[in-house]
Amino acid sequence: MTNALEIYQLLPKTNCKECGKASCMAFAAALLSREVTVDDCPPLKEDKFKENYEKLSGMIKPAGEASESGMIVHEDKCIGCGNCVVACPVNVAEDPHGAGSGKAPTSENVILRVEDGVVRLSNVNQCRRFGKNKIMCNGCIVTCPTKAIEFV
């Protein structure tokens, strides 16, 4: 998973504020959380930064496959073990006797569920990474043995 420091290393580091952010590091964090795009940095479009522009575009590209919370489930890597379903704090809180205990979900308010042997997003607007007051929860990622879940 890409982090803000990796993105920052590829930025011009001029702190010109042309992107509307206070610094290049602030822009890197905004780019990571998809508040801005690579094209929002005018100096990055200059010829001398072309290589970095292309690298950043490639790093951020997977965001197009992401849910509103930034979650991507790589179905080709998912083995359907359900560890993420049980580890999700929202699933546990919303469905403690179903998804939260390792059984099939008994509530429609769960975020993750296994269908046809693959994890599917169900109620993504409940994800702790979604919305204005999001937090950097990663319970589903750290429990996935195949690294099938990613946040961008």
Side-chain angles (χ1 to χ4, degrees):
M1 183 171 155
T2 303
N3 63 48
L5 189 57
E6 289 174 315
I7 292 172
Y8 174 76
Q9 295 299 325
L10 295 172
L11 292 175
K13 294 185 250 342
T14 58
N15 292 327
C16 67
K17 300 181 176 82
E18 291 184 53
C19 60
K21 300 296 178 187
S23 66
C24 288
M25 183 52 104
F27 181 80
L31 188 57
L32 185 62
S33 63
R34 300 187 307 152
E35 295 171 21
V36 297
T37 67
V38 174
D39 290 328
D40 290 331
C41 175
L44 199 53
K45 296 177 192 172
E46 296 172 11
D47 285 343
K48 62 183 174 183
F49 297 115
K50 182 178 179 182
E51 185 177 331
N52 288 1
Y53 174 87
E54 290 173 3
K55 285 180 182 176
L56 278 170
S57 295
M59 289 169 73
I60 302 302
K61 186 178 178 183
E65 302 168 9
S67 70
E68 292 89 344
S69 67
M71 180 187 289
I72 297 174
V73 176
H74 299 283
E75 293 185 5
D76 58 322
K77 294 181 181 176
C78 181
I79 58 173
C81 67
N83 288 353
C84 57
V85 175
V86 178
C88 174
V90 175
N91 276 8
V92 173
E94 293 292 329
D95 192 21
H97 303 294
S101 66
K103 299 176 183 170
T106 59
S107 169
E108 292 299 315
N109 291 330
V110 296
I111 297 170
L112 300 163
R113 59 178 67 228
V114 177
E115 294 177 354
D116 299 325
V118 177
V119 170
R120 306 256 190 234
L121 296 175
S122 177
N123 199 3
V124 73
N125 63 348
Q126 296 293 322
C127 180
R128 298 167 88 189
R129 286 181 170 247
F130 183 76
K132 185 177 172 182
N133 299 317
K134 63 185 172 186
I135 61 172
M136 302 308 280
C137 178
N138 65 355
C140 57
I141 292 175
V142 298
T143 57
C144 180
T146 60
K147 309 295 182 208
I149 299 175
E150 176 183 16
F151 280 101
V152 294

